[in-house]
Amino acid sequence: MLSRIAESLFWIGRYVERVDGTARLVDVVRLSMLEGGFGSSDDSVGMVLSAVMGADANETVTYPELRDRLVFDASSASSITGSWNAARENARRARETLSTDLWEGINTAWLRWGRLGQPDGTARHLSWARERSILIAGIADSTMSHDDAWDFLVLGRYLERADMTARMINTGTLPIGSLSWQAVLSSCGGNQAYMRSASGLFSDKAVATFLVLNREFPRSVLFALTQAENALERLDPDYTHTGFTGEGRRLLGRIRTSLEYRLPANVINELPQQMVRVQQMVTAVSDAVSQRYFPGGPEQSWTEELR
């Protein structure tokens, strides 16, 4: 497979997952503010923006500004609009590798996103974005051969999911303006799954443990890291007696085991620091994957035929 195709597939997985995660987070902030369960002050919204995007925590931000940055800002790859644009552009580059259904799903999402009405219809935009991103993920899983191309897509999806879940969890640990853990759980779509696993008993620590360490919930940090590691293993099955041939696998294994094999109480007691480590490690793994599989270099130009 050409490295440019592999890179496009990797970023399709990341951008489509980013649409879903961002839509979930913004929607739960919106609902929490309407219900009075979340501070409506500019400082509170600024703290959420800081936890999600790494912005200045002291910045004064209103909810409309938060919405515009994370949903409608076409110049930002962190917004939903920017993610749809980037996913479609990468799909266009990898058109010959994608299934027809997957290409049409991404292209249709890109075309229809701008036709949903004015930005003040936020609820409709967010609901549609979530549904469309889940549909695209399902189309990919059911219409693509589960070969290297699919593994690059899955790798991007689960790296992004680990990062987004860690950011959502951080919004529940803020000193002021934090989301309730019920809201964080809702933003991850885990209400029913949690209630089944916890037999209906609710506590903040139990929710945090579920979202970080549960091996069966597909949006937990541990589950996402494990799936990303498995995808890298399939892409690089070479066995060595010492260490790993890929830096990405080493980094993923390191952060996964640091969560999975520590006492849950120790992980939760250091939750903000642990989630920052996950975000940093996702960035490091993404860089390692890029260096190994998507090496940049000067484009070749043919000046004359060899005779």
Side-chain angles (χ1 to χ4, degrees):
M1 182 189 301
L2 295 176
S3 63
R4 66 174 180 84
I5 300 297
E7 184 176 19
S8 292
L9 290 165
F10 175 78
W11 284 105
I12 289 170
R14 291 205 65 166
Y15 283 125
V16 172
E17 184 64 30
R18 188 172 299 176
V19 167
D20 183 50
T22 304
R24 289 175 181 276
L25 180 63
V26 176
D27 198 35
V28 79
V29 172
R30 179 186 67 85
L31 292 174
S32 294
M33 293 183 71
L34 290 175
E35 295 171 0
F38 174 67
S40 60
S41 69
D42 294 350
D43 290 341
S44 298
V45 180
M47 290 293 289
V48 173
L49 186 63
S50 172
V52 176
M53 296 184 63
D56 184 359
N58 297 319
E59 183 180 3
T60 299
V61 183
T62 63
Y63 174 73
E65 290 173 334
L66 172 74
R67 177 201 64 194
D68 290 343
R69 289 192 193 186
L70 294 182
V71 180
F72 302 111
D73 185 0
S75 65
S76 172
S78 298
S79 72
I80 293 177
T81 298
S83 295
W84 279 135
N85 291 340
R88 194 265 183 182
E89 181 63 20
N90 279 283
R92 186 184 63 79
R93 294 172 183 167
R95 177 66 187 88
E96 64 272 25
T97 305
L98 302 180
S99 66
T100 299
D101 289 337
L102 180 56
W103 159 252
E104 290 178 350
I106 296 173
N107 193 46
T108 300
W110 176 75
L111 289 171
R112 291 184 179 176
W113 174 250
R115 302 176 184 175
L116 293 179
Q118 296 300 316
D120 56 358
T122 310
R124 184 158 56 96
H125 282 77
L126 297 176
S127 176
W128 188 89
R130 289 198 310 271
E131 292 174 1
R132 199 73 197 185
S133 59
I134 293 172
L135 174 64
I136 290 171
I139 291 173
D141 290 350
S142 60
T143 63
M144 287 183 66
S145 296
H146 287 201
D147 53 10
D148 287 352
W150 184 77
D151 282 329
F152 277 113
L153 191 75
V154 168
L155 175 61
R157 176 194 302 170
Y158 282 107
L159 281 180
E160 187 68 27
R161 185 173 296 182
D163 181 76
M164 288 299 297
T165 303
R167 292 174 186 271
M168 293 177 190
I169 291 171
N170 261 349
T171 63
T173 65
L174 298 176
I176 62 171
S178 64
L179 294 177
S180 69
W181 281 105
Q182 180 66 58
V184 175
L185 187 63
S186 297
S187 69
C188 295
N191 285 313
Q192 287 74 24
Y194 170 78
M195 289 301 178
R196 286 188 61 191
S197 68
S199 301
L201 300 177
F202 189 92
S203 72
D204 290 350
K205 285 189 175 182
V207 170
T209 302
F210 176 80
L211 292 176
V212 176
L213 299 174
N214 191 280
R215 295 187 180 93
E216 298 176 345
F217 180 57
R219 292 191 176 276
S220 76
V221 173
L222 182 59
F223 186 97
L225 292 174
T226 301
Q227 293 301 313
E229 188 179 2
N230 290 343
L232 266 183
E233 184 178 358
R234 292 191 296 270
L235 289 167
D236 180 28
D238 295 336
Y239 175 79
T240 61
H241 292 284
T242 303
F244 294 93
T245 57
E247 178 69 3
R249 283 182 66 190
R250 187 188 70 80
L251 293 172
L252 269 177
R254 181 178 178 182
I255 188 64
R256 177 186 60 79
T257 53
S258 73
L259 294 175
E260 188 172 16
Y261 293 103
R262 290 187 68 191
L263 292 174
N266 293 339
V267 174
I268 300 307
N269 288 339
E270 301 174 359
L271 194 56
Q273 297 88 339
Q274 293 291 339
M275 294 304 96
V276 169
R277 286 186 63 232
V278 169
Q279 294 172 52
Q280 293 172 341
M281 196 63 70
V282 167
T283 300
V285 171
S286 182
D287 291 342
V289 169
S290 296
Q291 290 173 9
R292 178 166 190 183
Y293 295 104
F294 324 133
E299 294 185 0
Q300 293 184 353
S301 59
W302 299 97
T303 57
E304 60 180 1
E305 289 187 352
L306 295 176
R307 297 182 183 277

